[in-house]
Amino acid sequence: MHRAQKWIIASFVLSLACPPTMGQPVPGTAPFGQALYVSGQDGYHTYRIPALVVTNQGTLLAFCEGRKNGRGDSGSIDLLVKRSTDQGQTWSGQQVIWHDADNTCGNPCVVVDRDTGTVWLLSTWNLGRDHEAQIIDQTSQDTRRVFVLSSTDDGTTWSPAREITTHTKRPNWTWYATGPGSGIQMKQGPHKGRLVIPCDHIEAGTKHYYSHIIFSDDHGATWQLGGSTPQHQVNECEVVELTGGRLMLNMRNYNRDKKNRQVAVSEDGGQTWTDQHFDQTLIEPICQAGLERVRWSGLDRDSVIAFSNPASRSGRERMTVRLSFDEGLTWPLACVLHAGPSAYSDLAVLPLSQGAVACLYEAGLKQPYETIVFAPVPIFQLTEK
């Protein structure tokens, strides 16, 4: 079938999967999907920073930060998870994975080692009384630190947080963030099996923002620092593997001359990054985004990569899922999940029998941080021939 014909059919099917107002959504309507975390409920003022993964057993794990006393990025913040064993139809109660007094445990970035089944959760920590500006200015009492947690029983129980700061953060870096969202395990090339976590940091002195990766070549036992982007003004990022074992970073952009995402490519497993440029299709208001490979190309099927973000230059609104059939060069299909306020998101591929990509995203009616919503989007069949 000709690609253009396929896109027409796909657009029709996608319109069935997304809100009936796709293309011209009505502001003020409720977000599409199921609210998993509702701010003000179950002991937390605000829930933020979603991360989503599907385990080897098909269990969905939906992570977020539980912000105890306010909406801000500092203070008493815990890492939480909910589990679903039926493709997201029903969910467990929320479980506290990491709590440390009144300190900040956050920025979840999750990856499953498909060889061992272990779920690895990378995260950051700082004193609850230390604010981001103080950490950047080096006037804080402590600094931003990097930790890893793991589960070997499908997310039911979790190991204590283990610090890996000395192996993954340079001495002249101040602020640091893992993800947030998802990492990947490489499937092709000389680094097959490598666990890769997208991260960002700020340099002391220059206060320049960069994206970078950390990785593990021994199934999560140890973690190492990879390469940073050649240009600054980027931070929170997602990573996807391209054909031939290449990697692509998709990054939040602070250059307001161009209100688009930035991307960079690595040919060596994330040790160096080149070709940093703006993606002209992926507009953004300065916000995090989700990125996920849906499937690889084959003899009778195209490659599919999915992307999610608030697709607006003016503000955090219009949560949109896009599809690429050419390794992220173009994004011809788009589906608006929520026209109203929306912010951070993450994507995961549901079991093939479900035929869907799931989006876990922040959304609300008056501001983006009212709920974290789980939305299955049945798009896998869009590229079937």
Side-chain angles (χ1 to χ4, degrees), residues 73-75 126-136 140 175:
D73 295 336
S74 60
N126 58 267
L127 288 175
R129 57 183 175 273
D130 284 343
H131 295 262
E132 180 176 355
Q134 295 171 320
I135 295 173
I136 295 171
S140 56
W175 188 254

Side-chain angles (χ1 to χ4, degrees), residues 78-275:
D78 298 337
L79 275 179
L80 312 175
V81 70
K82 289 188 176 184
R83 303 173 73 252
S84 174
T85 58
D86 56 10
Q87 288 80 49
Q89 296 182 56
T90 61
W91 293 83
S92 70
Q94 66 192 33
Q95 174 188 354
V96 178
I97 297 177
W98 188 16
H99 165 80
D100 182 40
D102 292 328
N103 297 318
T104 300
C105 310
N107 268 85
C109 191
V110 61
V111 64
V112 176
D113 187 324
R114 300 299 174 185
D115 298 326
T116 67
T118 300
V119 183
W120 294 98
L121 183 65
L122 283 292
S123 179
T124 52
W125 174 97
N126 58 267
L127 288 175
R129 57 183 175 273
D130 284 343
H131 295 262
E132 180 176 355
Q134 295 171 320
I135 295 173
I136 295 171
D137 290 337
Q138 297 180 283
T139 59
S140 56
Q141 295 185 34
D142 206 303
T143 188
R144 191 83 152 170
R145 300 178 182 271
V146 191
F147 286 79
V148 61
L149 304 87
S150 63
S151 173
T152 57
D153 57 7
D154 228 34
T156 302
T157 62
W158 292 85
S159 70
R162 169 169 58 96
E163 187 170 3
I164 57 172
T165 306
T166 56
H167 303 290
T168 58
K169 182 183 178 184
R170 297 192 187 282
N172 69 324
W173 292 357
T174 57
W175 188 254
Y176 193 110
T178 44
S182 298
I184 64 169
Q185 183 174 35
M186 297 185 68
K187 298 184 179 299
Q188 299 182 357
H191 303 290
K192 181 180 178 181
R194 171 172 289 183
L195 304 176
V196 181
I197 299 294
C199 302
D200 68 84
H201 65 273
I202 298 178
E203 289 182 342
T206 66
K207 296 186 179 180
H208 286 174
Y209 294 60
Y210 293 89
S211 298
H212 71 275
I213 64 109
I214 61 177
F215 66 92
S216 175
D217 284 334
D218 54 10
H219 301 287
T222 62
W223 294 84
Q224 304 177 57
L225 181 61
S228 300
T229 52
Q231 302 170 36
H232 66 106
Q233 292 191 298
V234 290
N235 64 356
E236 292 173 332
C237 54
E238 290 286 278
V239 64
V240 69
E241 184 178 3
L242 305 178
T243 55
R246 298 174 297 138
L247 297 177
M248 180 173 69
L249 275 181
N250 186 297
M251 301 166 285
R252 174 170 165 167
N253 165 42
Y254 280 80
N255 183 341
R256 292 296 83 191
D257 292 335
K258 295 184 179 180
K259 297 182 180 181
N260 298 77
R261 301 286 294 180
Q262 289 198 47
V263 297
V265 176
S266 175
E267 305 281 349
D268 56 9
Q271 296 285 9
T272 59
W273 297 90
T274 61
D275 190 27

Side-chain angles (χ1 to χ4, degrees), residues 341-355:
S342 48
Y344 284 37
S345 62
D346 196 22
L347 296 166
V349 180
L350 296 181
L352 298 187
S353 59
Q354 185 78 0

Side-chain angles (χ1 to χ4, degrees), residues 6-23 32 304 306-307 320-325 331-337 355-357 375-383:
K6 182 164 56 180
W7 287 345
I8 292 172
I9 294 174
S11 297
F12 171 74
V13 177
L14 189 58
S15 69
L16 300 180
C18 290
T21 52
M22 175 192 157
F32 177 66
V304 183
F307 172 85
T320 301
V321 175
R322 299 178 187 269
L323 294 185
S324 173
F325 304 100
W331 304 89
L333 293 184
C335 169
V336 178
L337 298 183
V357 167
V377 183
I379 59 176
F380 190 86
Q381 71 268 34
L382 301 188
T383 55

Side-chain angles (χ1 to χ4, degrees), residues 359-370:
C359 185
L360 187 69
Y361 67 102
E362 300 173 338
L365 296 179
K366 295 183 178 179
Q367 48 92 4
Y369 317 118
E370 296 170 10

Side-chain angles (χ1 to χ4, degrees), residues 243-317:
T243 55
R246 298 174 297 138
L247 297 177
M248 180 173 69
L249 275 181
N250 186 297
M251 301 166 285
R252 174 170 165 167
N253 165 42
Y254 280 80
N255 183 341
R256 292 296 83 191
D257 292 335
K258 295 184 179 180
K259 297 182 180 181
N260 298 77
R261 301 286 294 180
Q262 289 198 47
V263 297
V265 176
S266 175
E267 305 281 349
D268 56 9
Q271 296 285 9
T272 59
W273 297 90
T274 61
D275 190 27
Q276 187 172 339
H277 63 278
F278 296 92
D279 188 308
Q280 299 303 318
T281 301
L282 303 182
I283 62 174
E284 72 155 11
I286 302 184
C287 193
Q288 182 265 7
L291 186 67
E292 189 79 14
R293 176 171 289 281
V294 180
R295 70 179 189 189
W296 296 92
S297 61
L299 293 177
D300 61 347
R301 64 185 193 180
D302 289 328
S303 161
V304 183
I305 296 175
F307 172 85
S308 61
N309 83 325
S312 169
R313 290 188 173 95
S314 59
R316 291 183 172 185
E317 60 186 7

